[in-house]
C-alpha cells in the first residue's frame, strides 16, 4: 500500500509538471494554431539558466529563481519575435518548419556550450527536505508541485475568464482575423500568451530538475513530447483538458 501511494504521489507530481508544459503548447495553439515544438527546449534552457546562476555565478537560490523566470520569459518572447512573427501570414507548414528549426537551434546551442555533458542541477534547500505523507516518504518538491500547479492553473483560468486581456485571448482563439478587425491588438495578445507559456515552463523546469537533477541538451525533448501528447489527449486548445491529460499520463507512467 505504501509503494502504491508513493507511485501515486510521484505520478501526480510528474503529471503536474507535464501540465505546466502542456498549457504552453495548448495556449499557443489556441491563439496561433501553431505547435510550438521549441517549447520543450525552452523548458530545458531554463534548467541551464539555473545552473549558470547558482553554480557558475554563485547567486543565492531565491534571486536565481527570479532570474531564471525572467530569462526564460525573455527567451520565449525573443523566439516569437524572431522566428514566428515574420511568418505569421505564411503557410502553416512554414511556421511549423521554423518551430522545429528553433528547437534544433536551442539543442545545439546547449550542446556547443556544454559539450553535451550532463550538468548537475543545483540543490534548492527547502525543496529537498524529506516529508512523510500517509506513511510514504517523499521529497518536499513532490508535495509542493501539484499544489503549486493547481494554484497556477486556477490563476490562469481567472485571468482568461475575468480580465480584459483574457477576453481578448478568447476572442483571438475563436477568430483571429475578425478580432483584428474589431481593434484587438493581436501582437499584445500573442506576446502575453508566450510570456505565460514561458513562465509556466520556467516554474515546471525548477520543479522537474529539483527531482531529476541531470540537465543535458536533450532534457526537454521527452517531457516536452509527453506534455504535447497530454495537450492533444485533453483536446488541444483547452487549458483544463491539458491539465487533465497531463495528470492521466503522469499517473499511468508511474503506475
Amino acid at each position: 500500500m505504501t509503494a502504491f501511494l508513493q507511485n501515486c504521489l510521484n505520478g501526480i507530481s510528474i503529471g503536474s509538471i507535464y501540465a505546466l508544459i502542456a498549457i504552453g503548447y495548448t495556449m499557443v495553439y489556441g491563439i496561433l494554431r501553431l505547435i510550438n515544438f521549441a517549447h520543450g527546449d525552452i523548458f530545458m534552457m531554463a534548467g541551464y539558466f539555473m545552473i549558470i546562476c547558482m553554480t557558475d555565478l554563485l547567486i543565492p537560490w531565491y534571486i536565481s529563481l527570479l532570474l531564471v523566470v525572467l530569462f526564460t520569459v525573455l527567451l520565449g518572447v525573443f523566439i516569437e519575435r524572431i522566428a514566428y512573427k515574420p511568418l505569421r501570414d505564411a503557410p502553416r507548414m512554414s511556421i511549423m518548419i521554423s518551430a522545429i528549426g528553433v528547437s534544433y537551434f536551442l539543442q545545439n546551442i546547449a550542446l556547443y556550450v556544454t559539450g553535451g555533458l550532463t550538468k548537475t542541477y543545483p540543490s534548492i534547500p527547502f525543496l529537498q527536505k524529506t516529508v512523510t505523507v500517509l506513511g510514504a516518504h517523499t521529497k518536499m518538491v513532490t508535495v509542493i508541485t501539484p499544489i503549486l500547479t493547481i494554484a497556477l492553473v486556477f490563476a490562469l483560468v481567472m485571468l482568461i475568464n475575468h480580465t480584459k486581456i483574457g477576453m481578448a485571448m478568447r476572442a483571438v482563439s475563436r477568430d483571429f482575423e475578425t478580432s483584428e478587425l474589431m481593434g484587438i491588438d493581436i501582437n499584445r495578445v500573442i506576446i502575453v500568451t508566450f510570456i505565460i507559456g514561458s513562465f509556466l515552463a520556467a516554474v515546471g523546469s525548477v520543479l522537474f530538475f529539483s527531482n531529476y537533477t541531470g540537465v543535458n541538451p536533450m532534457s526537454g525533448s521527452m517531457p516536452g513530447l509527453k506534455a504535447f501528447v497530454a495537450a492533444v489527449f485533453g483536446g488541444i486548445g483547452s487549458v483544463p483538458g491539458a491539465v487533465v491529460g497531463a495528470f492521466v499520463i503522469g499517473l499511468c507512467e508511474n503506475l
Side-chain angles (χ1 to χ4, degrees):
M1 188 62 187
T2 302
F4 176 77
L5 180 59
Q6 181 75 58
N7 284 322
C8 285
L9 287 172
N10 291 336
I12 291 170
S13 179
I14 194 67
S16 300
I17 293 166
Y18 294 157
L20 293 175
I21 306 172
I23 290 170
Y25 279 112
T26 204
M27 287 186 66
V28 170
Y29 181 83
I31 300 295
L32 289 175
R33 294 296 183 268
L34 160 70
I35 304 299
N36 182 15
F37 287 107
H39 194 60
D41 300 292
I42 293 174
F43 168 88
M44 174 268 295
M45 291 298 292
Y48 278 118
F49 290 151
M50 179 62 86
I51 292 172
I52 291 169
C53 288
M54 287 189 67
T55 304
D56 298 340
L57 302 179
L58 301 178
I59 298 173
W61 65 266
Y62 45 88
I63 299 176
S64 295
L65 284 175
L66 298 176
L67 292 176
V68 166
V69 170
L70 175 63
F71 292 152
T72 307
V73 166
L74 290 176
L75 177 62
V77 172
F78 177 76
I79 288 171
E80 194 281 324
R81 296 286 92 178
I82 298 298
Y84 302 150
K85 185 180 179 183
L87 298 174
R88 201 166 290 165
D89 297 323
R92 293 296 170 198
M93 185 59 69
S94 299
I95 306 178
M96 184 177 295
I97 292 169
S98 180
I100 294 171
V102 171
S103 174
Y104 283 126
F105 178 76
L106 291 177
Q107 288 177 14
N108 281 277
I109 284 288
L111 181 66
Y112 178 78
V113 172
T114 66
L117 299 175
T118 299
K119 300 284 187 179
T120 301
Y121 198 77
S123 175
I124 300 175
F126 79 96
L127 292 179
Q128 303 301 323
K129 292 180 180 177
T130 301
V131 295
T132 303
V133 180
L134 299 176
H137 299 287
T138 188
K139 292 181 182 178
M140 179 65 76
V141 65
T142 305
V143 177
I144 288 177
T145 299
I147 297 171
L148 182 58
T149 298
I150 291 169
L152 289 172
V153 170
F154 178 78
L156 178 59
V157 170
M158 290 296 103
L159 173 75
I160 291 172
N161 290 333
H162 300 288
T163 65
K164 191 173 181 180
I165 187 65
M167 186 184 297
M169 291 168 73
R170 283 183 284 132
V172 173
S173 69
R174 287 293 182 89
D175 194 319
F176 192 96
E177 289 78 13
T178 303
S179 300
E180 194 169 19
L181 291 173
M182 294 299 290
I184 292 176
D185 187 345
I186 299 294
N187 286 326
R188 180 167 171 259
V189 171
I190 292 171
I191 287 175
V192 170
T193 301
F194 273 85
I195 286 174
I196 293 171
S198 300
F199 168 78
L200 294 177
V203 174
S205 173
V206 172
L207 297 171
F208 180 84
F209 290 118
S210 292
N211 225 350
Y212 307 93
T213 55
V215 185
N216 63 65
M218 301 302 294
S219 291
S221 298
M222 191 52 68
L225 178 61
K226 291 176 182 176
F228 173 64
V229 172
V232 174
F233 182 76
I236 193 161
S238 166
V239 171
V243 174
V244 171
F247 276 117
V248 170
I249 288 177
L251 282 168
C252 290
E253 177 181 311
N254 276 269
L255 293 175

